[in-house]
Amino acid sequence: MDSRLEAFEKGHEAFQKIKFKQGQERYKKLVEEGQNPKALFIGCSDSRVMPAMITGSKAGDLFIVRNIGNFVAPYNPTANYHATASAIEYAVSVLEVSDVIVCGHSHCGAIASLFKDIKQTPENIHTIKWLELGKEAKKVASLAYKHDNKEIMLRYTEKISVVYQLDNLLTYPAVKRRVEEGTLFLHGWHYFIENGTIEYYDDETYEFKALVHK
Ligand SMILES: [Zn+2]
């Protein structure tokens, strides 16, 4: 055992002995038949946001891509390494998921950093560039909430950013075509770390509403 990772190794041991045994039939079937996930989940890399846990998903249910700030870069067919874009294309065109969820969350470090003056260095150059994908949300939130408490403004920025990322998703031809055909549905969510609840974006009222009514 590597003592640095002892907690993870113990956790894996417990997984093998209990959870894996319980789901063995399902895993076997997923190997034989391949994956057929219902949804693509685009979430933040934040360690406090666990897509499978907060949605009660099992192996095979969600195709997941996580990045800093749960951003979606607009379609940009250039020769480069576009990780999130390729995950979107694969999920939509190959796996043919029927739903895409962009899930933001409270106390998002990426969103908070939009309001900080961070100096670019060779050690953060990719991060600084990536955070540009939140600048529209920041602009709108700064105007709408300039007289409010900073936390209120940050929650709003996290939510409005999700809406901008949904717009960016529609710049992908594979996404746009399917949404227009009615075979693909886009969802914007915001997860509150502090109380474990999710709100969804209602595009008819332009509001975030509780996903589950207690
Ligand atoms: Zn985050």
Side-chain angles (χ1 to χ4, degrees):
M1 252 193 195
D2 178 348
S3 61
R4 295 179 63 86
L5 300 178
E6 197 179 342
F8 296 144
E9 287 162 1
K10 282 191 174 145
H12 176 60
E13 193 179 5
F15 164 75
Q16 278 191 323
K17 286 182 178 160
I18 304 163
K19 293 269 182 191
F20 182 78
K21 283 219 169 81
Q22 286 168 352
Q24 212 160 5
E25 280 308 308
R26 182 182 178 88
Y27 302 134
K28 196 172 157 228
K29 206 170 157 221
L30 283 168
V31 169
E32 288 165 359
E33 296 175 6
Q35 63 168 331
N36 184 25
K38 176 175 166 47
L40 163 64
F41 187 102
I42 302 173
C44 186
S45 300
D46 192 300
S47 60
R48 300 163 295 180
V49 180
M50 299 172 73
M53 191 174 79
I54 65 176
T55 58
S57 298
K58 298 190 182 76
D61 290 343
L62 285 180
F63 191 76
I64 299 172
V65 58
R66 296 173 69 174
N67 62 48
I68 292 175
N70 45 269
F71 292 145
V72 175
Y75 183 66
N76 177 15
T78 53
N80 217 321
Y81 302 109
H82 298 295
T84 300
S86 64
I88 291 164
E89 288 179 358
Y90 187 75
V92 169
S93 305
V94 181
L95 297 173
E96 298 181 317
V97 297
S98 58
D99 297 84
V100 182
I101 301 159
V102 176
C103 185
H105 68 99
S106 63
H107 309 283
C108 181
I111 296 295
S113 70
L114 297 172
F115 296 89
K116 291 174 187 159
D117 193 16
I118 304 170
K119 199 167 159 268
Q120 185 176 300
T121 73
E123 296 190 6
N124 68 12
I125 189 165
H126 298 101
T127 316
I128 299 284
K129 182 71 188 165
W130 185 249
L131 290 171
E132 285 180 10
L133 296 168
K135 70 181 179 192
E136 289 299 321
K138 177 194 169 180
K139 205 192 294 173
V140 171
S142 303
L143 287 171
Y145 284 82
K146 62 181 171 188
H147 301 302
D148 282 283
N149 166 308
K150 194 173 177 204
E151 286 302 313
I152 294 174
M153 186 184 68
L154 289 173
R155 293 301 83 75
Y156 181 76
T157 314
E158 290 155 3
K159 289 178 181 177
I160 202 72
S161 173
V162 166
V163 180
Y164 276 111
Q165 308 316 316
L166 293 176
D167 285 346
N168 287 351
L169 268 174
L170 286 169
T171 64
Y172 288 76
V175 173
K176 189 171 189 285
R177 179 168 66 79
R178 286 168 176 83
V179 168
E180 285 171 354
E181 286 170 358
T183 54
L184 183 68
F185 300 87
L186 309 184
H187 312 267
W189 286 5
H190 181 264
Y191 171 66
F192 288 87
I193 295 173
E194 55 270 59
N195 61 21
T197 59
I198 292 171
E199 290 184 353
Y200 74 97
Y201 178 63
D202 181 338
D203 62 2
E204 285 181 5
T205 62
Y206 309 111
E207 289 171 311
F208 277 79
K209 297 176 174 173
L211 191 65
V212 176
H213 292 283
K214 288 171 194 160

